[in-house]
Amino acid sequence: MMPVFLRSFALLAAVVLGTGLSRAATERDLEAPGPLGPLSGTYLDAGKTAPVLLLVPGSGPTDRNGDSASGLKPGTLKLLAEGLADRGISTVRVDKRGMFGSARAVPNGNHVTIQNYVTDVQNWISVIRKETGTRCVWLGGHSEGALVVLAASQLARVSVV
């Protein structure tokens, strides 16, 4: 069996070598319940039977696309989602509670714990299952997002990338 880091690298390499967003993929806003207000995300639908990957951004003020409030706008998570859609994998990119489109979910986005984010991942999994009919939701995260999905994977039947 291939080690996890090699599988992740292989997936990333396949996405980077992609040809762009699939014409069949459609993008729309999606919401999950938060403690005081909705959590916001973007669903990139690669097709009815496509597997679904929930992408959780890293620490600090990083939005669902992988852009930073400090001015850096690489769009890494959006580019990753588009490359995956080109290969028939749907994604949901999310804004963390208290930030960007999920700002109304809590009064202060700096007073959030890993366990709070795990709860949010569980809520996203429920919404994704309801919206798509899939039973298996894959989880992927960057930096702190990887820690969150690892913690969430202990509580739900999920696969972590």
Side-chain angles (χ1 to χ4, degrees):
M1 178 159 208
M2 188 183 306
V4 172
F5 76 92
L6 285 180
R7 284 187 303 221
S8 297
F9 180 76
L11 175 63
L12 182 59
V15 169
V16 169
L17 297 174
T19 58
L21 183 60
S22 169
R23 294 180 193 264
T26 58
E27 190 171 86
R28 65 179 168 93
D29 291 336
L30 195 61
E31 288 186 343
L36 300 176
L39 301 170
S40 296
T42 301
Y43 175 46
L44 184 54
D45 184 358
K48 186 172 178 90
T49 61
V52 182
L53 171 68
L54 174 64
L55 289 169
V56 181
S59 62
T62 305
D63 71 9
R64 68 184 85 177
N65 294 326
D67 295 337
S68 170
S70 67
L72 295 173
K73 307 282 186 213
T76 50
L77 295 178
K78 183 175 183 176
L79 291 170
L80 178 62
E82 290 171 349
L84 289 167
D86 196 42
R87 280 160 179 70
I89 300 170
S90 297
T91 56
V92 175
R93 306 185 312 274
V94 300
D95 287 331
K96 297 177 294 186
R97 71 164 65 182
M99 298 195 184
F100 305 99
S102 298
R104 297 177 311 180
V106 293
N108 186 337
N110 292 317
H111 296 148
V112 179
T113 66
I114 295 297
Q115 185 55 50
N116 294 145
Y117 289 142
V118 167
T119 299
D120 295 343
V121 166
Q122 292 173 311
N123 289 341
W124 277 113
I125 290 170
S126 294
V127 167
I128 292 167
R129 286 178 173 159
K130 182 180 177 188
E131 289 286 322
T132 67
T134 189
R135 292 185 42 78
C136 180
V137 177
W138 289 72
L139 300 178
H142 172 258
S143 185
E144 181 185 57
L147 175 64
V148 170
V149 300
L150 285 172
S153 72
Q154 301 302 307
L155 303 174
R157 187 172 164 243
V158 295
S159 298
V160 179
V161 224

